[in-house]
Amino acid sequence: MDCCGGTTEHEDDCGEVKVKDSIDAKTVEAAKALESENYSAGFSTTIETDFAPKGLSEDTIRYISAAKNEPEWLLEWRLKAYERWLTMEEPSWAMVRYPKIDYQGYYYYAAPKAGAKYASIDDVPKEILETYEKLGIPLREAEVLLGVEGAVETAAEGREKPRVAVDAVFDSVSVATTFRKELQKAGVIFMSISEAVHEYPDLVKKYLGTVVPQSDNFFATLNSAVFSDGTFVYIPKGVRCPMELSTYFRMNAENTGQFERTLIIADEAAYVSYLEGCTAPMRDENQLHAAVVELVALEDAEIKYSTVQNWWPGDEDGKGGIFNFVTKRGDCRGDRSKISWTQVETGSAVTWKYPSCILRGDDSVGEFYSIAVTNGRQQADTGTKMIHLGKRTKSRIISKGISAGKSDNTYRGLVSVNRKAVNARNFTQCDSLLIGDKCGAHTIPYVENRCASAQLEHEATTTKLSEDQLFYARQRGIAEEDAVALLVNGFVRDVLQHLPMEFAVEAQSLLKVSLEGSVG
Amino acid sequence: MTTALRDFIKNPTPAELELVARYGAQPEDSRRERAFLAFAETGLPHRRMEAWKWTDFKAALKALETPAAASAKDPLPHEGALVFRFTPNGFEAPVNMPEGIRMVEQPGMQAFPGAENVPLGALAAALSGGGKRPATLIFEITSGNLPRLHFVFSGSGQASFARIVFLIRSGASLNLSESYLGGAGLTSTVLEFDLEQDTAINRAIFQRGGADEALAVTGIAHLGANAEMTQTTLSFGAKVARMETRVVHQATGAKLNLNAAYLSGRGFHTDITTNVRHGAPSCVTRQLTKGAVLDGGTGVFQGKFFVPRKTGQHTDADMQHQALLLEDGAQVFAKPELEIYADDVECAHGNTCGALDDAQMFYLRQRGIPENQARAMLTEAFIAEALGKADDSVREVLLAEAQNWLSS
Amino acid sequence: MRPMLKITDLSAAVGEDSEAKTILNGLSLDVPAGEVHAIMGPNGAGKSTLSYVLTGRSGYEVTGGSATLNGENVLDMDPETRAAKGMFLSFQYPVEIPGVPVMTFVRTAMNAQRKARGEDEISAPDFIKKSRDVAKTLNLDAEMLKRPVNVGFSGGEKKRLEIYQMMMLEPKFLILDETDSGLDIDALKTVADGVNAMRDPSRGMLVITHYQRLLDYIKPDKVHVLAKGRIIKTGEADLALRLEKEGYDGVLGEAA
Ligand SMILES: Nc1ncnc2c1ncn2[C@@H]1O[C@H](COP(=O)(O)OP(=O)(O)OP(=O)(O)O)[C@@H](O)[C@H]1O
Ligand SMILES: [Mg+2]
């Protein structure tokens, strides 16, 4: 999808919203929706922070690398990416419009002053812990104290809920990783990538940048140069990771770009389910987020990667919010491997994101399940790429876009089938729902088939909420807003099913919050 | 001027230089200049342009040359039709024109709005005319009772350009057919249709060219209130062939049936590109494109529905593209696109790509039909669906041409 | 005398190697020429699977046993060869064939079968006459025969069209897979009349159904109960009545 130019025809959105009937009238309020109060994660934390010098230069990169005490090869790797980045142009083909980003106006590294890792969770600054608590992240919950001997096991036994190990990233650095001991017992490596660089340099060196090459695209290259921290996961051969792994990203510092880098490797016949959650406080400046996620699945391995993203989307006038330019890619390197992306996108002012699968191994499987909700002035251009290289590779894409307010929601996807990918299969379903008459829903699938025995099928629909269904629900006594929520939930059901339990519940309430007001 | 243009196209190919020279030989005309500049902006369209990513004229057409092969024979019937012929240097029209049709051979160029969207259409507009050929050929149709108008584009030469404008006045209707038979290294035509209210047009396009030719047929239509346009294309491709249609629903109640079948053999590339703008409420579009491709052949389908915010309410639009890759080595690229800003709409698209349906194959074989015959039957029926709305006078011929190709 | 259709210890599976699932599990069944046998059995028992395995649909792997028609092993034949040998399946879910009119379809099938058997093609007038006669017996609208096969047909219309094809092609061995479901009362009678008209000392029939209703019209010589992939009970026509009254649990409880 190295496409350019894309949009020439833009709709002006001046004038009053047409109020056609009672439903739309409420719907329209929705549009006015997304008032700042609705964003429950929009508080910021006051802590002392160390910044790299503002702006981007070779010095910034050396500063970051030195701050993290990195080996020489990694510094070289960063510098090479930076050199490359200087020659690249920011892509313009996506259906998103945003003011020109001043790459010199950001801090590329911000770390809480007290230092990155804490021996015990009691050493984690109180403010950070409180932040995570407000977000409902189980860092401290159940007395799972990082580095506190014995606590992990006892706490773990006492829990009934499925357990989630959490790595929390606060601005640029990872502040705590829970359940580490227990994971170690299973042979699972789960730590911040900066630590992994020191503790498992061979693994990092072997896989870093092999799925998303340094020069892949403008934002990925930028990330390669300045990535601050992120998560590293390695599941050894034949191991089924005993719990869900999770990272919470939190952007706090002002004018800070966040450039985390995640690398997950599932060795032969390994399995892992990984959850990523994101929040950012409300700030007027647009914050820049350019992450890279690389997944590698070897023979018979399976990786399930779920994201719930509710970065600050900006206020209803489109002021502030996160610019989210993310490169996520999975490589089904081994035969019969499987990578499954599930995403619930409700936040960010601008989203540019195409979690993809390279189906290299024979009989490998790629899946993409997505719910993207836009409201207010949000713009999302998201989708996936399924690259079929191996024999009998299968992919499945289910995308549900919901546009409300004055937002634009674009599905952009590529299904490409190589000549050698005999009997490859793809099924794609893209549905768009429009709530109110000032938003836009767009579907741009690209299909490239070079294999006669492949079967590809794509279906797409664009509709508004059905008045018949709405009436039916209301006739049975369900309040309008609940009826809409019910219908929207029905609309996205196929995707919600693919989220881990706890996440599905969270996603459901997030959907409701995101559309609040837009439905009366 | 000419030298300035030469600089304008980056790294011009010999073909592009030849086109610049041809432009230089045309009489000065600011409209012509504007159209040519729209082309020169990019030169021959190429893969780095989003709308041309799979159909690269710049790469396919290095130099303007007269192809070795002669034009194909015209399968569409001439009896009972008014026949017009375009060759690279000539134009012939019937001597007597019936009541209800007025033909104007305009020596000067008509303004060509929207040129920047259709670089090869702009090229056709800028370079048509000269010799015995009108720069713009205009038809005014005022009757609902005319014989079919049939246009033949053939004859050998380096390049052939034509521009034809149809004004269909309120209440009138037109039955139109075009045969593009190859023979020129580059053929580019642009046809514009202005349908006033309560009008109808049934347009059929037959295209068959040589494997060393480039061809672009650009159609641009504006539909008035309750106007109905039906278009059926049967295209066998060329080295590169682009069959592009852009339609604007301009007033309430317009209806469009936009169908095409492409059949690409080894060394042939067929591109069906369409863009439909629902610029008025309650308009209907039904689009069906079918393709069958052999080893070494390429099929491209790019369809777009654009539904604007204020004017596109109650749009009812459906786009289907279905392709069969009949052999290993065939390739099909598709981009069925929806861009929608109005909420009270029913829009859908579907795209399938692959081999014949197993369940259907079994059903036929259970009834005793041998595998090869079953496959031929299903493929023919598959393609025929896209040709069903062609006018009675040409439909059987189009079907027969498709069948011959499939069974050979 | 040798039975017309002889199924011995037939096992079959669906799905790809890794997740293959055995559906038929040592099924044996004989249908002599001239007889009508009914097969009943709970949903998912494998009735349709049996009909597909007998007619050669891909995706089913025969893992054991045999099936012969007039002494010939059919399991290795192409579907069309089996059809030419006289096997006809009335599908539980008839398939839509867009773009192919019914008449064209049936005539192509008929001529292909005749050719395979070394017979002459049917002439157009003969074909049309025959079609008209059959359509009349079945109360089929002639317009329907011009439409593409099964496209946009109602559930009942599809079933009637299967019988139309059966009567046109005059097969030797008939498998009717739930041909009665979806039919209204009059259509059920018409279809049954059609089937009865085909009864002949040289023909065999397997009638898969869930309801006694159909068997009131088409009197079976034997009734088999298929469950868990094999025939677990065989009886006379009255077995169907008992099944209807007592349900599978009642009747099978005693068989087990
Ligand atoms: N392709 C397949 N893949 C997996 N399972 C299959 C497949 N085809 C059939 N089955 C399963 O095999 C079993 C038998 O199916 P079958 O269609 O033969 O049942 P049936 O007896 O005809 O049932 P019904 O009375 O509902 O028509 C069912 O459990 C069905 O789900
Ligand atoms: Mg069944």
Side-chain angles (χ1 to χ4, degrees):
Chain A
M1 271 183 302
D2 47 338
C3 27
C4 53
T7 95
T8 47
E9 306 169 271
H10 281 305
E11 286 306 296
D12 54 345
D13 41 18
C14 51
E16 260 312 293
V17 180
K18 242 193 304 175
V19 177
K20 289 197 310 246
D21 50 42
S22 67
I23 294 164
D24 278 8
K26 306 232 172 137
T27 303
V28 158
E29 281 161 39
K32 296 180 182 160
L34 215 90
E35 293 185 295
S36 318
E37 301 91 73
N38 286 351
Y39 188 71
S40 60
F43 50 85
S44 74
T45 309
T46 315
I47 49 162
E48 279 189 81
T49 308
D50 272 337
F51 289 103
K54 200 172 183 176
L56 185 51
S57 66
E58 225 182 274
D59 287 342
T60 319
I61 291 161
R62 289 184 188 282
Y63 178 97
I64 296 170
S65 193
K68 304 165 85 60
N69 196 18
E70 282 177 356
E72 187 62 23
W73 68 266
L74 194 50
L75 175 63
E76 290 302 317
W77 197 80
R78 287 173 179 280
L79 289 171
K80 210 173 119 207
Y82 176 66
E83 215 171 284
R84 175 71 193 227
W85 182 77
L86 289 174
T87 69
M88 293 171 97
E89 268 178 51
E90 197 171 326
S92 61
W93 44 260
M95 261 201 182
V96 292
R97 279 164 288 157
Y98 51 91
K100 188 132 190 62
I101 295 174
D102 173 12
Y103 289 94
Q104 299 304 338
Y106 285 98
Y107 290 106
Y108 285 82
Y109 185 78
K113 210 162 207 143
K117 270 286 169 183
Y118 308 95
S120 130
I121 207 151
D122 290 327
D123 298 341
V124 177
K126 180 165 112 283
E127 299 88 337
I128 293 184
L129 275 184
E130 279 167 4
T131 302
Y132 282 104
E133 256 167 38
K134 277 194 234 172
L135 293 168
I137 295 161
L139 250 191
R140 177 145 209 172
E141 175 224 354
E143 284 89 44
V144 180
L145 304 183
L146 172 70
V148 178
E149 297 290 323
V152 170
E153 282 77 6
T154 46
E157 280 157 18
R159 289 162 59 115
E160 290 155 352
K161 280 201 291 172
R163 292 160 315 145
V164 180
V166 177
D167 185 19
V169 176
F170 198 86
D171 286 332
S172 301
V173 296
S174 168
V175 290
T177 309
T178 61
F179 283 109
R180 202 154 163 186
K181 271 269 164 68
E182 193 178 344
L183 288 169
Q184 262 166 13
K185 243 199 253 166
V188 172
I189 305 173
F190 176 44
M191 57 177 54
S192 79
I193 200 155
S194 336
E195 288 175 285
V197 166
H198 293 288
E199 293 186 33
Y200 300 95
D202 293 344
L203 274 178
V204 175
K205 227 171 163 170
K206 181 167 172 196
Y207 290 104
L208 186 73
T210 63
V211 184
V212 179
Q214 273 191 328
S215 57
D216 191 78
N217 68 69
F218 184 83
F219 298 112
T221 307
L222 175 62
N223 175 289
S224 301
V226 303
F227 75 86
S228 33
D229 212 335
T231 303
F232 178 81
V233 178
Y234 173 81
I235 316 289
K237 269 186 205 174
V239 170
R240 209 184 148 81
C241 185
M243 62 188 78
E244 313 259 358
L245 303 184
S246 175
T247 304
Y248 272 81
F249 295 108
R250 169 86 184 153
M251 276 195 207
N252 194 62
E254 273 178 74
N255 285 325
T256 306
Q258 186 158 347
F259 305 92
E260 76 273 6
R261 184 137 195 144
T262 300
L263 177 58
I264 300 178
I265 301 132
D267 211 325
E268 290 170 23
Y271 168 85
V272 62
S273 167
Y274 179 87
L275 323 176
E276 175 201 302
C278 319
T279 60
M282 258 180 255
R283 292 201 187 282
D284 276 351
E285 300 81 5
N286 294 297
Q287 281 162 291
L288 179 63
H289 179 78
V292 170
V293 175
E294 297 179 278
L295 310 183
V296 180
L298 301 182
E299 232 173 79
D300 295 304
E302 178 174 349
I303 302 176
K304 203 169 145 57
Y305 191 107
S306 315
T307 310
V308 172
Q309 187 264 106
N310 65 333
W311 300 114
W312 168 230
D315 67 14
E316 72 246 46
D317 297 322
K319 195 148 182 269
I322 303 288
F323 292 165
N324 194 19
F325 304 103
V326 176
T327 306
K328 290 186 166 171
R329 194 171 304 151
D331 190 353
C332 285
R333 225 165 261 190
D335 292 352
R336 295 170 304 279
S337 56
K338 176 173 175 182
I339 289 179
S340 174
W341 298 99
T342 305
Q343 62 173 25
V344 178
E345 301 279 321
T346 66
S348 291
V350 174
T351 302
W352 180 102
K353 181 177 168 196
Y354 315 92
S356 306
C357 297
I358 301 168
L359 303 170
R360 204 183 297 275
D362 290 348
D363 300 291
S364 60
V365 177
E367 295 175 334
F368 174 75
Y369 301 103
S370 170
I371 298 169
V373 183
T374 54
N375 201 345
R377 298 267 182 178
Q378 280 177 272
Q379 307 169 58
D381 194 304
T382 182
T384 184
K385 298 188 218 179
M386 293 290 172
I387 313 292
H388 291 258
L389 302 175
K391 298 193 186 79
R392 296 173 303 276
T393 43
K394 288 201 196 86
S395 63
R396 193 178 157 81
I397 300 171
I398 311 281
S399 162
K400 305 279 177 177
I402 301 163
S403 327
K406 295 177 177 174
S407 66
D408 272 303
N409 200 326
T410 302
Y411 168 82
R412 184 186 303 273
L414 168 70
V415 175
S416 163
V417 182
N418 187 274
R419 202 171 164 168
K420 302 222 173 76
V422 294
N423 290 316
R425 295 280 177 273
N426 163 263
F427 176 76
T428 302
Q429 168 100 42
C430 291
D431 296 318
S432 305
L433 191 63
L434 290 146
I435 302 179
D437 62 358
K438 299 199 111 193
C439 48
H442 320 301
T443 315
I444 314 178
Y446 294 74
V447 178
E448 302 188 344
N449 186 5
R450 296 180 172 84
C451 175
S453 59
Q455 292 282 9
L456 318 180
E457 206 174 316
H458 171 106
E459 288 169 13
T461 59
T462 303
T463 45
K464 68 171 189 167
L465 274 182
S466 152
E467 310 240 350
D468 290 348
Q469 293 172 345
L470 212 50
F471 173 71
Y472 189 81
R474 295 174 72 188
Q475 203 285 321
R476 298 295 136 95
I478 302 168
E480 186 177 357
E481 187 169 342
D482 294 335
V484 172
L486 193 80
L487 293 180
V488 168
N489 269 314
F491 177 74
V492 301
R493 213 184 102 91
D494 298 354
V495 174
L496 281 183
Q497 281 174 345
H498 292 277
L499 282 171
M501 227 353 211
E502 315 86 298
F503 246 37
V505 175
E506 188 183 331
Q508 231 161 352
S509 53
L510 205 60
L511 283 183
K512 207 167 164 192
V513 173
S514 305
L515 289 170
E516 225 156 70
S518 80
V519 288
Chain B
M1 178 73 230
T2 307
T3 34
L5 277 169
R6 182 188 292 246
D7 296 338
F8 206 82
I9 302 178
K10 272 187 215 143
N11 307 320
T13 60
E16 285 165 338
L17 290 176
E18 170 64 24
L19 293 169
V20 170
R22 282 177 176 241
Y23 170 71
Q26 294 276 7
E28 285 240 9
D29 176 341
S30 63
R31 288 167 169 173
R32 206 182 277 281
E33 182 180 340
R34 222 166 299 144
F36 193 78
L37 280 172
F39 163 77
E41 181 89 34
T42 56
L44 285 168
H46 51 80
R47 71 177 76 239
R48 285 191 309 284
M49 297 159 68
E50 172 65 14
W52 300 83
K53 61 184 292 163
W54 294 313
T55 299
D56 191 330
F57 269 71
K58 200 181 197 104
L61 187 72
K62 284 281 180 312
L64 275 196
E65 277 158 7
T66 303
S71 305
K73 205 173 144 295
D74 189 5
L76 294 184
H78 288 198
E79 318 82 78
L82 291 169
V83 179
F84 303 80
R85 284 172 207 278
F86 279 88
T87 57
N89 300 305
F91 167 64
E92 267 173 49
V95 189
N96 295 313
M97 218 64 87
E99 195 85 354
I101 174 168
R102 195 164 71 91
M103 182 177 90
V104 180
E105 295 183 49
Q106 191 126 312
M109 203 187 112
Q110 285 249 310
F112 187 61
E116 61 287 350
N117 295 323
V118 283
L120 291 177
L123 180 72
L127 297 188
S128 70
K132 282 211 216 118
R133 300 174 46 140
T136 313
L137 184 62
I138 303 172
F139 290 90
E140 186 182 19
I141 309 293
T142 50
S143 161
N145 209 0
L146 290 170
R148 173 165 52 94
L149 268 55
H150 181 57
F151 288 77
V152 183
F153 301 85
S154 64
S156 79
Q158 286 187 344
S160 178
F161 303 100
R163 178 169 181 216
I164 311 172
V165 176
F166 296 90
L167 305 170
I168 304 174
R169 298 298 184 202
S170 276
S173 63
L174 178 65
N175 182 2
L176 172 71
S177 58
E178 296 148 48
S179 288
Y180 295 87
L181 304 172
L186 170 64
T187 301
S188 182
T189 65
V190 56
L191 284 80
E192 293 151 78
F193 303 91
D194 192 349
L195 278 75
E196 291 187 355
Q197 74 177 56
D198 301 315
T199 53
I201 183 170
N202 196 337
R203 179 185 186 204
I205 303 167
F206 173 83
Q207 180 274 323
R208 187 152 215 171
D212 50 358
E213 298 171 10
L215 170 110
V217 177
T218 308
I220 300 170
H222 289 86
L223 309 188
N226 302 316
E228 177 160 356
M229 177 170 194
T230 299
Q231 176 173 310
T232 307
T233 303
L234 175 62
S235 175
F236 291 88
K239 186 170 191 194
V240 273
R242 167 86 150 205
M243 314 300 287
E244 179 161 347
T245 310
R246 300 175 77 87
V247 181
V248 180
H249 288 285
Q250 262 185 323
T252 311
K255 181 154 197 239
L256 171 68
N257 298 299
L258 194 53
N259 297 337
Y262 61 84
L263 302 169
S264 301
R266 172 174 284 281
F268 284 80
H269 178 118
T270 317
D271 172 329
I272 306 287
T273 293
T274 64
N275 183 308
V276 179
R277 185 185 175 96
H278 276 258
S282 305
C283 295
V284 178
T285 300
R286 289 286 171 273
Q287 180 173 13
L288 176 63
T289 303
K290 299 260 190 169
V293 182
L294 300 178
D295 180 16
T298 302
V300 173
F301 170 76
Q302 304 186 103
K304 179 169 182 176
F305 289 165
F306 182 83
V307 182
R309 177 153 300 141
K310 296 196 182 74
T311 51
Q313 292 294 15
H314 306 292
T315 285
D316 176 359
D318 183 79
M319 176 198 299
Q320 299 295 328
H321 169 245
Q322 297 170 351
L324 287 177
L325 281 72
L326 295 175
E327 298 173 336
D328 281 338
Q331 49 182 12
V332 168
F333 305 125
K335 184 187 177 198
E337 185 179 352
L338 303 175
E339 185 170 348
I340 296 170
Y341 296 93
D343 65 330
D344 198 358
V345 298
E346 292 287 341
C347 289
H349 70 196
N351 185 68
T352 62
C353 198
L356 286 169
D357 182 51
D358 283 345
Q360 292 181 352
M361 277 296 286
F362 175 64
Y363 192 76
L364 265 69
R365 294 177 73 191
Q366 202 298 308
R367 297 293 134 98
I369 302 172
E371 193 173 351
N372 278 340
Q373 198 179 348
R375 181 169 295 125
M377 235 177 134
L378 287 177
T379 312
E380 276 173 33
F382 172 86
I383 294 296
E385 255 194 298
L387 303 175
K389 285 210 154 56
D391 185 75
D392 291 344
S393 59
V394 296
R395 187 174 52 241
E396 293 305 321
V397 174
L398 294 178
L399 282 168
E401 288 293 312
Q403 271 170 19
N404 284 342
W405 186 89
L406 288 168
S407 56
S408 64
Chain C
M1 205 192 77
R2 184 184 66 200
M4 187 175 188
L5 176 74
K6 184 168 185 56
I7 305 172
T8 315
D9 226 8
L10 185 64
S11 296
V14 294
E16 280 160 28
D17 301 346
S18 55
E19 42 201 84
K21 180 179 163 194
T22 297
I23 310 285
L24 298 183
N25 205 351
L27 183 146
S28 297
L29 177 69
D30 289 351
V31 184
E35 292 197 2
V36 173
H37 287 204
I39 293 188
M40 303 181 80
N43 293 132
K47 304 182 295 296
S48 296
T49 303
L50 173 64
S51 65
Y52 289 141
V53 169
L54 288 176
T55 51
R57 182 171 166 160
S58 62
Y60 297 84
E61 199 197 343
V62 176
T63 51
S66 66
T68 58
L69 186 71
N70 295 321
E72 273 188 289
N73 173 16
V74 294
L75 296 179
D76 292 336
M77 295 178 192
D78 279 345
E80 56 267 34
T81 311
R82 299 185 210 201
K85 300 263 179 212
M87 283 250 235
F88 180 93
L89 169 63
S90 168
F91 286 59
Q92 183 177 1
Y93 305 106
V95 180
E96 300 187 357
I97 317 281
V100 179
V102 174
M103 298 275 271
T104 314
F105 175 68
V106 176
R107 202 169 142 214
T108 311
M110 191 183 288
N111 284 332
Q113 290 196 21
R114 287 180 175 220
K115 195 170 155 208
R117 291 193 292 257
E119 300 164 10
D120 286 341
E121 290 199 349
I122 189 168
S123 74
D126 287 354
F127 178 81
I128 290 168
K129 182 171 178 311
K130 187 175 174 117
S131 167
R132 198 176 298 141
D133 292 348
V134 171
K136 206 160 146 210
T137 353
L138 291 173
N139 264 328
L140 276 185
D141 187 359
E143 277 309 302
M144 216 163 93
L145 301 179
K146 293 182 186 152
R147 284 163 55 186
V149 179
N150 289 323
V151 177
F153 285 28
S154 76
E157 286 171 345
K158 285 181 181 170
K159 295 303 173 72
R160 274 196 283 165
L161 194 71
E162 293 291 287
I163 299 303
Y164 162 83
Q165 294 179 46
M166 182 184 84
M167 294 179 74
M168 290 297 290
L169 296 171
E170 299 178 318
K172 287 287 173 220
F173 194 88
L174 282 54
I175 305 167
L176 307 182
D177 191 355
E178 296 196 26
T179 303
D180 51 336
S181 54
L183 291 178
D184 65 37
I185 299 156
D186 292 342
L188 182 68
K189 174 97 177 46
T190 322
V191 162
D193 288 347
V195 174
N196 283 327
M198 302 278 295
R199 280 181 98 146
D200 183 290
S202 68
R203 276 204 180 97
M205 299 193 196
L206 261 185
V207 178
I208 297 169
T209 182
H210 285 294
Y211 305 106
Q212 169 62 31
R213 233 178 21 172
L214 179 70
L215 303 179
D216 286 342
Y217 294 110
I218 307 174
K219 277 259 159 282
D221 295 290
K222 288 255 161 32
V223 174
H224 306 276
V225 179
L226 198 170
K228 305 210 174 85
R230 70 180 80 175
I231 303 295
I232 55 157
K233 194 171 174 67
T234 297
E236 305 299 313
D238 63 339
L239 176 59
L241 282 167
R242 273 189 60 207
L243 283 169
E244 186 131 296
K245 260 197 241 104
E246 299 170 29
Y248 289 109
D249 283 349
V251 177
L252 299 186
E254 129 211 346

